Coordinates of all heavy atoms in Angstrom, one line a residue:
M1 N 0.8 -1.2 0.0 CA 0.0 0.0 0.0 C 0.9 1.2 0.0 O 1.9 1.3 0.7 CB -0.9 0.0 1.2 CG -1.8 1.2 1.3 SD -3.3 1.1 2.3 CE -2.7 0.5 3.8
L2 N 0.5 2.3 -0.8 CA 1.3 3.5 -0.9 C 1.1 4.3 0.4 O 0.0 4.4 0.9 CB 0.9 4.3 -2.1 CG 1.3 3.8 -3.4 CD1 0.6 4.6 -4.5 CD2 2.8 3.7 -3.6
P3 N 2.1 5.0 0.9 CA 1.9 6.0 1.9 C 1.1 7.1 1.4 O 1.0 7.4 0.2 CB 3.3 6.4 2.3 CG 4.3 5.7 1.4 CD 3.5 4.8 0.5
S4 N 0.4 7.8 2.3 CA -0.5 8.9 1.9 C 0.2 10.0 1.2 O -0.4 10.8 0.5 CB -1.3 9.4 3.1 OG -0.4 9.9 4.1
A5 N 1.5 10.2 1.5 CA 2.3 11.3 0.9 C 3.0 10.8 -0.4 O 3.7 11.6 -1.0 CB 3.3 11.8 1.9
A6 N 2.7 9.6 -0.9 CA 3.3 9.2 -2.1 C 2.9 9.9 -3.3 O 1.7 10.3 -3.4 CB 3.1 7.7 -2.3
P7 N 3.7 10.2 -4.3 CA 3.3 10.9 -5.5 C 2.3 10.1 -6.3 O 2.2 8.8 -6.2 CB 4.6 11.0 -6.4 CG 5.7 10.8 -5.4 CD 5.2 9.9 -4.3
R8 N 1.4 10.7 -7.0 CA 0.3 10.1 -7.7 C 0.6 10.1 -9.2 O 1.2 11.0 -9.7 CB -1.0 10.8 -7.5 CG -1.4 11.0 -6.1 CD -1.6 9.6 -5.4 NE -2.3 9.7 -4.2 CZ -1.7 9.5 -3.0 NH1 -0.4 9.3 -3.0 NH2 -2.3 9.6 -1.9
L9 N 0.3 9.0 -9.8 CA 0.5 8.9 -11.3 C -0.9 8.8 -11.9 O -1.8 8.0 -11.5 CB 1.2 7.6 -11.6 CG 1.4 7.2 -13.0 CD1 2.4 8.1 -13.7 CD2 1.8 5.8 -13.2
G10 N -1.1 9.7 -12.9 CA -2.4 9.7 -13.6 C -2.2 9.3 -15.0 O -1.2 9.8 -15.6
H11 N -3.0 8.5 -15.6 CA -2.9 8.1 -17.0 C -4.3 8.2 -17.6 O -5.3 8.0 -16.9 CB -2.3 6.7 -17.1 CG -3.2 5.6 -16.7 ND1 -3.4 5.3 -15.4 CD2 -4.0 4.8 -17.4 CE1 -4.2 4.3 -15.3 NE2 -4.6 4.0 -16.5
Q12 N -4.3 8.5 -18.9 CA -5.6 8.5 -19.6 C -5.5 7.7 -20.9 O -4.4 7.7 -21.5 CB -5.9 10.0 -20.0 CG -6.1 10.9 -18.8 CD -7.3 10.5 -18.0 OE1 -8.3 10.1 -18.5 NE2 -7.1 10.5 -16.6
R13 N -6.5 7.0 -21.2 CA -6.6 6.2 -22.4 C -7.8 6.7 -23.2 O -8.8 7.2 -22.6 CB -6.7 4.7 -22.1 CG -5.5 4.1 -21.4 CD -5.8 2.7 -21.1 NE -6.9 2.7 -20.1 CZ -7.2 1.7 -19.4 NH1 -6.6 0.6 -19.4 NH2 -8.2 1.8 -18.5
G14 N -7.7 6.6 -24.5 CA -8.8 6.9 -25.4 C -8.9 5.9 -26.5 O -8.0 5.3 -26.8
A15 N -10.1 5.9 -27.0 CA -10.4 5.0 -28.2 C -10.6 5.9 -29.4 O -11.4 6.8 -29.4 CB -11.6 4.2 -28.0
G16 N -9.8 5.6 -30.4 CA -9.9 6.4 -31.7 C -11.0 5.8 -32.5 O -11.7 4.8 -32.2
P17 N -11.3 6.5 -33.7 CA -12.3 6.0 -34.6 C -12.3 4.6 -35.0 O -13.3 3.9 -35.0 CB -12.2 6.9 -35.8 CG -11.5 8.1 -35.3 CD -10.6 7.7 -34.2
P18 N -11.1 4.0 -35.2 CA -11.1 2.5 -35.5 C -11.4 1.6 -34.3 O -11.5 0.4 -34.4 CB -9.7 2.2 -36.1 CG -8.9 3.4 -35.9 CD -9.7 4.5 -35.3
G19 N -11.4 2.2 -33.1 CA -11.7 1.5 -31.9 C -10.5 1.0 -31.2 O -10.6 0.2 -30.2
L20 N -9.3 1.4 -31.6 CA -8.1 1.0 -30.9 C -7.8 1.9 -29.7 O -8.0 3.1 -29.8 CB -6.9 1.1 -31.9 CG -7.0 0.2 -33.1 CD1 -5.8 0.5 -34.0 CD2 -7.0 -1.3 -32.7
L21 N -7.4 1.3 -28.6 CA -7.1 2.1 -27.4 C -5.7 2.8 -27.6 O -4.8 2.2 -28.1 CB -7.0 1.3 -26.2 CG -8.4 0.8 -25.6 CD1 -8.1 -0.1 -24.4 CD2 -9.2 2.0 -25.2
E22 N -5.7 4.1 -27.2 CA -4.4 4.8 -27.3 C -4.1 5.4 -26.0 O -5.0 5.8 -25.2 CB -4.6 6.0 -28.3 CG -4.9 5.6 -29.7 CD -5.1 6.8 -30.6 OE1 -4.4 7.7 -30.5 OE2 -6.0 6.7 -31.4
A23 N -2.8 5.4 -25.6 CA -2.4 6.1 -24.4 C -2.3 7.6 -24.7 O -1.6 8.0 -25.6 CB -1.0 5.6 -24.0
L24 N -3.0 8.4 -24.0 CA -3.1 9.8 -24.3 C -2.0 10.6 -23.5 O -1.7 11.7 -23.8 CB -4.5 10.4 -24.0 CG -5.6 9.8 -24.8 CD1 -6.9 10.4 -24.4 CD2 -5.4 10.0 -26.3
G25 N -1.6 10.0 -22.4 CA -0.6 10.7 -21.6 C -0.4 10.1 -20.2 O -1.3 9.3 -19.8
I26 N 0.7 10.5 -19.6 CA 0.9 10.1 -18.2 C 1.4 11.3 -17.5 O 2.2 12.1 -17.9 CB 2.1 9.0 -18.1 CG1 1.6 7.7 -18.9 CG2 2.4 8.7 -16.7 CD1 2.7 6.7 -19.0
W27 N 0.7 11.6 -16.3 CA 1.0 12.8 -15.6 C 1.4 12.4 -14.2 O 0.8 11.4 -13.6 CB -0.2 13.7 -15.5 CG -0.6 14.2 -16.8 CD1 -0.2 15.4 -17.4 CD2 -1.4 13.6 -17.8 NE1 -0.7 15.6 -18.6 CE2 -1.5 14.5 -18.9 CE3 -2.0 12.4 -17.9 CZ2 -2.2 14.1 -20.1 CZ3 -2.8 12.1 -19.0 CH2 -2.8 12.9 -20.1
W28 N 2.4 13.1 -13.6 CA 2.9 12.8 -12.3 C 2.7 14.0 -11.4 O 3.0 15.1 -11.8 CB 4.4 12.4 -12.4 CG 5.0 11.9 -11.2 CD1 5.6 12.6 -10.2 CD2 5.1 10.5 -10.8 NE1 6.1 11.7 -9.2 CE2 5.8 10.5 -9.6 CE3 4.6 9.3 -11.3 CZ2 6.0 9.3 -8.9 CZ3 4.8 8.2 -10.7 CH2 5.5 8.1 -9.5
Q29 N 2.2 13.8 -10.2 CA 1.9 14.9 -9.2 C 2.1 14.4 -7.8 O 1.8 13.2 -7.5 CB 0.5 15.4 -9.5 CG 0.1 16.5 -8.6 CD 0.0 17.9 -9.2 OE1 0.4 18.0 -10.4 NE2 -0.4 18.8 -8.5
D30 N 2.4 15.2 -6.9 CA 2.6 14.8 -5.5 C 1.2 14.6 -4.8 O 1.1 13.8 -3.9 CB 3.3 15.9 -4.7 CG 4.8 15.9 -5.1 OD1 5.3 14.8 -5.5 OD2 5.5 16.9 -4.9
T31 N 0.2 15.2 -5.3 CA -1.1 15.0 -4.7 C -2.2 14.9 -5.8 O -1.9 15.3 -6.9 CB -1.6 16.2 -3.8 OG1 -1.6 17.4 -4.7 CG2 -0.7 16.5 -2.7
E32 N -3.3 14.2 -5.5 CA -4.3 14.0 -6.5 C -5.5 14.8 -6.0 O -6.0 14.7 -4.9 CB -4.7 12.5 -6.6 CG -5.8 12.3 -7.6 CD -6.2 10.8 -7.7 OE1 -5.8 10.1 -6.8 OE2 -6.9 10.5 -8.7
G33 N -6.1 15.6 -6.9 CA -7.2 16.4 -6.6 C -7.9 16.9 -7.9 O -7.4 16.7 -9.0
A34 N -9.0 17.6 -7.7 CA -9.7 18.1 -8.9 C -8.9 19.1 -9.7 O -9.0 19.1 -10.9 CB -11.0 18.7 -8.4
K35 N -8.1 19.9 -9.0 CA -7.2 20.8 -9.7 C -6.2 20.1 -10.6 O -5.9 20.5 -11.7 CB -6.5 21.8 -8.7 CG -7.4 22.8 -8.1 CD -6.6 23.7 -7.2 CE -7.5 24.6 -6.4 NZ -6.8 25.5 -5.5
F36 N -5.6 19.0 -10.1 CA -4.7 18.2 -10.9 C -5.4 17.7 -12.1 O -4.9 17.8 -13.2 CB -4.2 17.1 -10.0 CG -3.5 16.0 -10.8 CD1 -2.3 16.2 -11.5 CD2 -4.1 14.7 -11.0 CE1 -1.7 15.2 -12.2 CE2 -3.5 13.7 -11.7 CZ -2.2 13.9 -12.3
W37 N -6.6 17.1 -12.0 CA -7.3 16.5 -13.1 C -7.8 17.6 -14.1 O -7.8 17.4 -15.3 CB -8.4 15.6 -12.7 CG -7.9 14.4 -12.1 CD1 -7.9 14.0 -10.8 CD2 -7.2 13.3 -12.9 NE1 -7.2 12.7 -10.7 CE2 -6.8 12.3 -12.0 CE3 -6.9 13.2 -14.2 CZ2 -6.1 11.2 -12.4 CZ3 -6.2 12.0 -14.6 CH2 -5.8 11.1 -13.7
L38 N -8.1 18.8 -13.6 CA -8.5 19.9 -14.4 C -7.3 20.3 -15.3 O -7.5 20.5 -16.5 CB -9.0 21.1 -13.6 CG -9.4 22.3 -14.4 CD1 -10.6 22.0 -15.4 CD2 -9.8 23.5 -13.5
A39 N -6.1 20.3 -14.7 CA -4.9 20.6 -15.5 C -4.7 19.5 -16.6 O -4.3 19.8 -17.7 CB -3.7 20.8 -14.6
V40 N -4.9 18.3 -16.2 CA -4.7 17.2 -17.2 C -5.7 17.3 -18.3 O -5.4 17.2 -19.5 CB -4.9 15.8 -16.5 CG1 -5.1 14.7 -17.5 CG2 -3.8 15.5 -15.5
L41 N -7.0 17.6 -18.0 CA -8.0 17.7 -19.0 C -7.8 18.9 -19.9 O -7.9 18.8 -21.1 CB -9.4 17.9 -18.4 CG -9.9 16.6 -17.6 CD1 -11.0 17.0 -16.7 CD2 -10.2 15.5 -18.5
N42 N -7.3 20.0 -19.3 CA -6.9 21.2 -20.2 C -5.8 20.9 -21.1 O -5.7 21.3 -22.3 CB -6.6 22.4 -19.3 CG -7.8 23.1 -18.8 OD1 -8.8 23.3 -19.6 ND2 -7.8 23.5 -17.6
D43 N -4.8 20.1 -20.6 CA -3.7 19.6 -21.4 C -4.2 18.8 -22.6 O -3.7 19.0 -23.7 CB -2.7 18.9 -20.6 CG -1.5 18.4 -21.3 OD1 -0.9 19.2 -22.1 OD2 -1.1 17.3 -21.2
L44 N -5.1 17.9 -22.3 CA -5.6 17.0 -23.4 C -6.3 17.9 -24.4 O -6.2 17.7 -25.6 CB -6.5 16.0 -22.8 CG -5.9 14.9 -22.0 CD1 -7.0 14.0 -21.3 CD2 -5.0 14.0 -22.9
S45 N -7.1 18.8 -24.0 CA -7.8 19.7 -24.9 C -6.8 20.5 -25.7 O -7.0 20.7 -27.0 CB -8.7 20.7 -24.1 OG -9.4 21.5 -24.9
R46 N -5.8 21.1 -25.1 CA -4.8 21.9 -25.9 C -4.1 21.0 -26.9 O -3.6 21.5 -28.0 CB -3.8 22.5 -24.9 CG -4.2 23.7 -24.3 CD -3.1 24.4 -23.6 NE -2.4 23.6 -22.6 CZ -2.8 23.5 -21.3 NH1 -3.8 24.1 -20.9 NH2 -2.1 22.7 -20.5
R47 N -3.9 19.7 -26.6 CA -3.2 18.8 -27.5 C -4.1 18.2 -28.6 O -3.7 17.4 -29.4 CB -2.6 17.7 -26.7 CG -1.4 18.2 -25.8 CD -0.8 17.2 -24.9 NE -0.7 15.9 -25.4 CZ -0.9 14.8 -24.7 NH1 -1.1 14.9 -23.4 NH2 -0.8 13.6 -25.2
G48 N -5.4 18.6 -28.6 CA -6.2 18.2 -29.7 C -7.4 17.3 -29.4 O -8.1 17.0 -30.4
V49 N -7.6 16.9 -28.2 CA -8.8 16.1 -27.9 C -10.0 17.0 -28.0 O -10.1 18.0 -27.3 CB -8.7 15.4 -26.5 CG1 -10.0 14.7 -26.1 CG2 -7.6 14.5 -26.4
K50 N -10.9 16.7 -28.9 CA -12.1 17.6 -29.2 C -13.3 17.3 -28.3 O -14.0 18.2 -28.0 CB -12.5 17.5 -30.7 CG -11.4 17.8 -31.6 CD -11.1 19.3 -31.6 CE -10.0 19.7 -32.6 NZ -9.3 20.8 -32.3
D51 N -13.5 16.0 -28.0 CA -14.7 15.6 -27.3 C -14.4 14.4 -26.5 O -13.6 13.5 -26.8 CB -15.8 15.4 -28.2 CG -17.2 15.3 -27.6 OD1 -17.3 15.7 -26.4 OD2 -18.1 14.9 -28.2
V52 N -15.1 14.2 -25.4 CA -15.1 13.0 -24.6 C -16.5 12.5 -24.5 O -17.4 13.3 -24.1 CB -14.5 13.3 -23.1 CG1 -14.7 12.1 -22.2 CG2 -13.1 13.7 -23.2
L53 N -16.7 11.3 -24.8 CA -18.1 10.7 -24.8 C -18.4 10.3 -23.4 O -19.4 10.7 -22.8 CB -18.2 9.5 -25.8 CG -19.5 8.8 -25.8 CD1 -20.6 9.7 -26.3 CD2 -19.4 7.6 -26.7
I54 N -17.6 9.4 -22.8 CA -17.9 8.9 -21.4 C -16.6 9.0 -20.6 O -15.5 8.7 -21.0 CB -18.3 7.4 -21.4 CG1 -19.5 7.2 -22.3 CG2 -18.5 6.9 -20.0 CD1 -19.9 5.8 -22.5
A55 N -16.8 9.6 -19.4 CA -15.7 9.6 -18.4 C -16.1 8.8 -17.2 O -17.1 9.1 -16.5 CB -15.4 11.1 -18.0
C56 N -15.3 7.7 -17.0 CA -15.6 6.8 -15.8 C -14.6 7.2 -14.7 O -13.4 7.1 -14.9 CB -15.4 5.4 -16.3 SG -15.9 4.2 -15.1
V57 N -15.1 7.7 -13.6 CA -14.3 8.3 -12.6 C -14.5 7.7 -11.2 O -15.5 7.0 -11.0 CB -14.5 9.8 -12.5 CG1 -14.3 10.5 -13.8 CG2 -15.9 10.1 -12.0
D58 N -13.6 8.0 -10.3 CA -13.8 7.5 -8.9 C -14.6 8.6 -8.2 O -15.2 9.5 -8.9 CB -12.4 7.3 -8.2 CG -11.6 8.6 -8.2 OD1 -12.0 9.7 -8.6 OD2 -10.4 8.5 -7.7
G59 N -14.7 8.6 -7.0 CA -15.6 9.5 -6.2 C -14.9 10.8 -5.8 O -15.3 11.5 -4.9
L60 N -13.8 11.2 -6.5 CA -13.1 12.4 -6.1 C -13.9 13.6 -6.2 O -14.5 13.9 -7.3 CB -11.8 12.5 -7.0 CG -10.9 13.7 -6.7 CD1 -10.2 13.5 -5.4 CD2 -9.9 13.8 -7.8
T61 N -14.0 14.4 -5.1 CA -14.9 15.6 -5.1 C -14.3 16.6 -6.1 O -13.1 16.9 -6.2 CB -14.8 16.2 -3.7 OG1 -15.3 15.3 -2.8 CG2 -15.7 17.5 -3.6
G62 N -15.2 17.1 -7.0 CA -14.9 18.1 -7.9 C -14.4 17.6 -9.3 O -14.3 18.4 -10.2
F63 N -14.2 16.3 -9.4 CA -13.7 15.7 -10.6 C -14.8 15.8 -11.7 O -14.5 16.2 -12.8 CB -13.3 14.3 -10.4 CG -12.4 13.7 -11.5 CD1 -12.0 14.4 -12.5 CD2 -12.0 12.3 -11.3 CE1 -11.2 13.8 -13.5 CE2 -11.2 11.8 -12.3 CZ -10.8 12.5 -13.4
P64 N -16.1 15.4 -11.5 CA -17.1 15.6 -12.5 C -17.2 17.0 -13.0 O -17.4 17.3 -14.2 CB -18.4 15.1 -11.8 CG -17.9 14.2 -10.8 CD -16.6 14.8 -10.3
E65 N -17.1 18.0 -12.1 CA -17.2 19.4 -12.5 C -16.0 19.8 -13.4 O -16.2 20.6 -14.3 CB -17.3 20.3 -11.3 CG -18.6 20.2 -10.5 CD -18.6 19.0 -9.5 OE1 -17.6 18.3 -9.4 OE2 -19.7 18.7 -9.0
A66 N -14.8 19.3 -13.0 CA -13.7 19.6 -13.9 C -13.8 19.0 -15.3 O -13.5 19.7 -16.3 CB -12.4 19.0 -13.2
I67 N -14.4 17.8 -15.4 CA -14.6 17.3 -16.7 C -15.6 18.1 -17.5 O -15.4 18.4 -18.7 CB -15.1 15.8 -16.6 CG1 -14.0 14.9 -16.0 CG2 -15.5 15.2 -17.9 CD1 -14.4 13.6 -15.5
E68 N -16.7 18.4 -16.8 CA -17.8 19.2 -17.5 C -17.3 20.6 -17.9 O -17.8 21.2 -18.9 CB -19.0 19.3 -16.6 CG -19.7 17.9 -16.5 CD -20.7 17.8 -15.4 OE1 -20.9 18.9 -14.7 OE2 -21.3 16.8 -15.2
A69 N -16.3 21.2 -17.2 CA -15.8 22.5 -17.5 C -15.0 22.5 -18.8 O -15.1 23.4 -19.6 CB -14.9 23.0 -16.4
V70 N -14.3 21.4 -19.1 CA -13.5 21.3 -20.3 C -14.2 20.6 -21.4 O -14.1 21.0 -22.6 CB -12.1 20.5 -19.9 CG1 -11.3 20.4 -21.2 CG2 -11.4 21.2 -18.8
F71 N -14.9 19.5 -21.1 CA -15.7 18.8 -22.1 C -17.2 18.7 -21.7 O -17.6 17.8 -21.1 CB -15.1 17.4 -22.2 CG -13.7 17.3 -22.6 CD1 -12.7 17.0 -21.7 CD2 -13.3 17.6 -23.9 CE1 -11.4 17.0 -22.1 CE2 -12.0 17.6 -24.3 CZ -11.0 17.3 -23.4
P72 N -17.9 19.8 -22.0 CA -19.3 19.9 -21.5 C -20.3 18.9 -21.9 O -21.2 18.6 -21.2 CB -19.7 21.3 -22.0 CG -18.7 21.8 -22.9 CD -17.5 20.9 -22.8
S73 N -20.0 18.2 -23.0 CA -21.0 17.2 -23.5 C -20.6 15.8 -23.0 O -21.3 14.8 -23.3 CB -21.0 17.2 -25.0 OG -19.8 16.9 -25.6
A74 N -19.6 15.7 -22.2 CA -19.2 14.3 -21.7 C -20.2 13.8 -20.7 O -20.8 14.5 -19.9 CB -17.8 14.4 -21.0
W75 N -20.4 12.5 -20.8 CA -21.2 11.8 -19.8 C -20.3 11.3 -18.7 O -19.5 10.4 -19.0 CB -22.0 10.6 -20.6 CG -22.8 9.8 -19.7 CD1 -23.4 10.1 -18.5 CD2 -23.2 8.5 -19.9 NE1 -24.2 9.1 -18.0 CE2 -24.0 8.0 -18.9 CE3 -22.9 7.5 -21.0 CZ2 -24.6 6.8 -18.8 CZ3 -23.5 6.3 -20.9 CH2 -24.3 5.9 -19.8
V76 N -20.5 11.7 -17.5 CA -19.7 11.4 -16.4 C -20.4 10.3 -15.5 O -21.5 10.5 -15.1 CB -19.3 12.6 -15.5 CG1 -18.4 12.2 -14.4 CG2 -18.6 13.7 -16.4
Q77 N -19.7 9.2 -15.3 CA -20.3 8.2 -14.4 C -19.3 7.7 -13.4 O -18.1 7.8 -13.7 CB -20.8 7.0 -15.3 CG -19.8 6.2 -15.9 CD -20.4 5.0 -16.7 OE1 -21.4 5.1 -17.3 NE2 -19.7 3.9 -16.6
T78 N -19.7 7.2 -12.3 CA -18.8 6.6 -11.3 C -18.5 5.2 -11.7 O -19.3 4.4 -12.0 CB -19.4 6.7 -9.9 OG1 -19.8 8.0 -9.6 CG2 -18.5 6.1 -8.9
C79 N -17.2 4.9 -11.6 CA -16.7 3.5 -11.9 C -17.4 2.5 -10.9 O -17.6 2.8 -9.8 CB -15.2 3.5 -11.6 SG -14.5 1.8 -11.6
I80 N -17.9 1.4 -11.5 CA -18.7 0.5 -10.7 C -17.8 -0.1 -9.5 O -18.4 -0.3 -8.4 CB -19.2 -0.7 -11.5 CG1 -20.2 -1.6 -10.7 CG2 -18.1 -1.6 -12.1 CD1 -21.5 -0.9 -10.4
V81 N -16.5 -0.2 -9.6 CA -15.7 -0.7 -8.5 C -15.7 0.4 -7.4 O -15.9 0.1 -6.2 CB -14.3 -1.0 -9.0 CG1 -13.4 -1.3 -7.8 CG2 -14.3 -2.1 -10.0
H82 N -15.5 1.7 -7.8 CA -15.5 2.7 -6.8 C -16.9 2.9 -6.2 O -17.1 3.2 -5.0 CB -15.0 4.0 -7.4 CG -13.6 4.0 -7.7 ND1 -13.1 3.6 -8.9 CD2 -12.5 4.3 -6.9 CE1 -11.8 3.7 -8.9 NE2 -11.4 4.1 -7.7
Y83 N -18.0 2.8 -7.0 CA -19.3 2.9 -6.5 C -19.7 1.9 -5.5 O -20.2 2.1 -4.5 CB -20.3 2.8 -7.7 CG -21.8 3.0 -7.3 CD1 -22.2 4.3 -7.1 CD2 -22.6 2.0 -7.1 CE1 -23.5 4.5 -6.7 CE2 -23.9 2.1 -6.7 CZ -24.4 3.4 -6.5 OH -25.7 3.6 -6.1
A84 N -19.3 0.6 -5.8 CA -19.5 -0.5 -4.9 C -18.7 -0.2 -3.6 O -19.3 -0.5 -2.5 CB -19.1 -1.8 -5.5
D85 N -17.5 0.3 -3.7 CA -16.7 0.5 -2.5 C -17.3 1.6 -1.6 O -17.4 1.4 -0.4 CB -15.3 0.9 -2.9 CG -14.4 1.0 -1.7 OD1 -14.4 0.2 -0.8 OD2 -13.6 2.0 -1.7
V86 N -17.8 2.6 -2.2 CA -18.4 3.7 -1.4 C -19.8 3.4 -0.9 O -20.1 3.8 0.2 CB -18.4 5.0 -2.3 CG1 -19.2 6.1 -1.6 CG2 -17.0 5.4 -2.6
R87 N -20.6 2.8 -1.7 CA -22.0 2.6 -1.4 C -22.4 1.3 -0.7 O -23.2 1.3 0.2 CB -22.9 2.7 -2.6 CG -22.7 3.9 -3.5 CD -23.3 5.1 -2.8 NE -23.0 6.3 -3.7 CZ -23.5 7.5 -3.4 NH1 -24.2 7.7 -2.4 NH2 -23.2 8.5 -4.2
V88 N -21.7 0.3 -1.0 CA -22.1 -1.1 -0.5 C -21.2 -1.6 0.6 O -21.6 -2.1 1.6 CB -22.1 -2.1 -1.7 CG1 -22.5 -3.5 -1.2 CG2 -23.1 -1.6 -2.7
M89 N -19.9 -1.4 0.4 CA -18.9 -2.0 1.3 C -19.1 -1.6 2.8 O -19.0 -2.4 3.6 CB -17.5 -1.7 0.9 CG -17.1 -2.3 -0.4 SD -16.8 -4.1 -0.3 CE -15.0 -4.0 -0.2
P90 N -19.4 -0.3 3.1 CA -19.6 0.0 4.5 C -20.7 -0.7 5.1 O -20.8 -0.9 6.4 CB -19.8 1.5 4.5 CG -19.2 2.0 3.2 CD -19.4 0.8 2.2
R91 N -21.7 -1.2 4.4 CA -22.9 -1.9 4.9 C -22.6 -3.4 5.1 O -23.4 -4.0 5.8 CB -24.1 -1.7 4.0 CG -24.6 -0.2 4.1 CD -25.8 -0.1 3.3 NE -25.4 0.3 1.9 CZ -26.2 0.5 0.9 NH1 -27.4 0.3 1.0 NH2 -25.7 0.9 -0.3
W92 N -21.6 -3.9 4.6 CA -21.3 -5.3 4.7 C -20.9 -5.6 6.2 O -20.2 -4.7 6.8 CB -20.2 -5.7 3.8 CG -20.6 -5.9 2.4 CD1 -21.9 -5.6 1.9 CD2 -19.9 -6.3 1.3 NE1 -21.9 -5.8 0.5 CE2 -20.7 -6.2 0.1 CE3 -18.5 -6.7 1.1 CZ2 -20.2 -6.6 -1.1 CZ3 -18.1 -7.0 -0.1 CH2 -18.9 -7.0 -1.3
P93 N -21.2 -6.7 6.7 CA -20.8 -7.1 8.1 C -19.2 -7.1 8.2 O -18.6 -7.5 7.2 CB -21.3 -8.4 8.3 CG -22.2 -8.8 7.2 CD -22.0 -7.8 6.1
R94 N -18.7 -6.7 9.3 CA -17.3 -6.7 9.5 C -16.8 -8.1 9.6 O -17.4 -8.9 10.3 CB -16.9 -5.9 10.7 CG -17.2 -4.4 10.6 CD -16.2 -3.8 9.7 NE -16.5 -2.3 9.6 CZ -16.0 -1.6 8.6 NH1 -15.1 -2.1 7.8 NH2 -16.3 -0.3 8.6
D95 N -15.7 -8.4 9.0 CA -15.0 -9.7 9.1 C -13.7 -9.4 9.8 O -12.9 -8.7 9.4 CB -14.8 -10.2 7.7 CG -14.1 -11.6 7.7 OD1 -13.8 -12.1 8.8 OD2 -13.8 -12.1 6.6
P96 N -13.5 -10.1 11.0 CA -12.2 -9.8 11.7 C -11.0 -10.1 10.9 O -10.0 -9.5 11.1 CB -12.3 -10.8 12.9 CG -13.8 -11.1 13.0 CD -14.4 -11.0 11.7
A97 N -11.1 -11.1 10.0 CA -9.9 -11.5 9.2 C -9.6 -10.4 8.2 O -8.5 -10.2 7.8 CB -10.1 -12.8 8.5
R98 N -10.6 -9.6 7.8 CA -10.4 -8.6 6.8 C -9.5 -7.5 7.3 O -8.6 -7.0 6.6 CB -11.8 -8.0 6.4 CG -11.6 -6.9 5.3 CD -13.0 -6.4 4.9 NE -12.9 -5.4 3.9 CZ -13.1 -4.1 4.2 NH1 -13.4 -3.7 5.4 NH2 -12.9 -3.2 3.2
G99 N -9.7 -7.1 8.6 CA -8.9 -6.1 9.2 C -7.4 -6.5 9.2 O -6.5 -5.7 8.9
A100 N -7.1 -7.8 9.5 CA -5.8 -8.3 9.5 C -5.2 -8.3 8.2 O -4.0 -8.0 8.0 CB -5.8 -9.7 10.2
A101 N -6.0 -8.7 7.2 CA -5.5 -8.7 5.8 C -5.2 -7.4 5.2 O -4.1 -7.2 4.6 CB -6.5 -9.4 4.9
V102 N -6.0 -6.4 5.5 CA -5.8 -5.0 5.1 C -4.5 -4.4 5.7 O -3.8 -3.7 5.1 CB -7.0 -4.1 5.3 CG1 -6.7 -2.7 5.0 CG2 -8.2 -4.6 4.5
A103 N -4.3 -4.7 7.0 CA -3.2 -4.2 7.7 C -1.9 -4.7 7.3 O -0.8 -4.1 7.4 CB -3.4 -4.4 9.2
A104 N -1.9 -6.0 6.7 CA -0.6 -6.6 6.4 C 0.0 -6.0 5.1 O -0.5 -5.3 4.4 CB -0.9 -8.1 6.1

């Protein structure tokens, strides 16, 4: 597990007209936040990305607004893994072994 002060790596992928995935870039920052992602999105826009159809994001506060500011027609949805973690996992019964496994 990364320490909370570890630098963050952000990467973006896109699908072009033929349907092939392309690496659009890799960005490195000491902290992750909406301002970081707004800078990434502005960079993508300056480099020629004209539109984003779907943005699948985690629950980072301000991230959907950052996407909508740069790509207003983008459909923003929460990643199902992050959605399940935020909405469902806290309601699951606690398993004593889970705490030991997470701490290891």
Side-chain angles (χ1 to χ4, degrees):
M1 179 161 50
L2 289 173
S4 60
R8 303 298 192 257
L9 175 70
H11 70 281
Q12 298 298 317
R13 294 174 297 194
L20 298 175
L21 286 178
E22 300 177 38
L24 300 177
I26 298 174
W27 296 265
W28 190 268
Q29 178 109 353
D30 287 335
T31 60
E32 180 183 13
K35 288 181 183 180
F36 165 68
W37 286 110
L38 180 60
V40 168
L41 295 166
N42 281 319
D43 182 46
L44 290 172
S45 179
R46 280 193 302 273
R47 292 176 34 217
V49 174
K50 301 289 184 209
D51 194 15
V52 171
L53 179 62
I54 300 172
C56 188
V57 301
D58 61 6
L60 183 67
T61 304
F63 199 2
E65 292 81 6
I67 294 167
E68 291 166 1
V70 180
F71 300 106
S73 61
W75 177 25
V76 180
Q77 70 176 37
T78 303
C79 167
I80 190 67
V81 172
H82 290 91
Y83 182 79
D85 186 39
V86 171
R87 306 288 179 176
V88 178
M89 296 283 263
R91 289 183 269 179
W92 286 2
R94 295 283 179 196
D95 178 3
R98 181 175 179 256
V102 171

